[in-house]
Amino acid sequence: MARKVKVCVIGSGSTGLFSLGQVRKGTKDFVVVDGGILGTTCARVGCMPSKALIQATEDVHHASALAAQGIAGGEGISADMAKVMAHVREMRDGFAGMVVKRSSMGLGDKLIRHNAQFIAANVVRVGEEEIEAEKFILAVGSRPVMPAPWEQFSELLMTTDEFFE
């Protein structure tokens, strides 16, 4: 027998979480299904860790430009990229951790940690369970794709999913 709900949100990234906020305004009869890594793309591999890395590189640049302002001591500055990336990953883990905590807090059994597969117009199989919903919100996100013409250069290219690791 399927669990019946008014709304099933598939995906808990930025769009899924925004949708969940809107759903909660109208009903408490919902589930959120996500079989992937919790934490939004923005927090894990997108804008947040990118900005942390950009800030570090800008700091190095600004320090090297201090002499033009009459400030001595910035000329020999260098960056230890292993330490810079460790710092970026630490910040990324903090960002993603906050998103996961806020997004899953209080959901209990309303958060189902499996992938969903439609088996009928209004039913999904999620692990061993079936969810029947009046409405579905598909917020499944995306993943990087290497364009076919670029595959010949794949050893020289990386996506942000790889970069921040």
Side-chain angles (χ1 to χ4, degrees), residues 40-54 88 92 95 160-161 164:
T40 63
T41 297
C42 180
R44 288 185 305 100
V45 295
C47 52
M48 291 180 179
S50 296
K51 287 177 182 172
L53 180 59
I54 289 167
V88 168
R92 182 255 341 250
F95 301 143
T160 56
D161 283 3
F164 291 109

Side-chain angles (χ1 to χ4, degrees), residues 144-154 157 159:
V145 175
M146 183 74 65
W150 295 9
E151 287 177 4
Q152 63 183 323
F153 306 109
S154 61
L157 304 171
T159 68

Side-chain angles (χ1 to χ4, degrees), residues 86-102:
H87 171 72
V88 168
R89 283 190 291 275
E90 182 179 325
M91 292 189 73
R92 182 255 341 250
D93 292 347
F95 301 143
M98 285 186 293
V99 169
V100 169
K101 183 177 179 181
R102 285 183 34 220

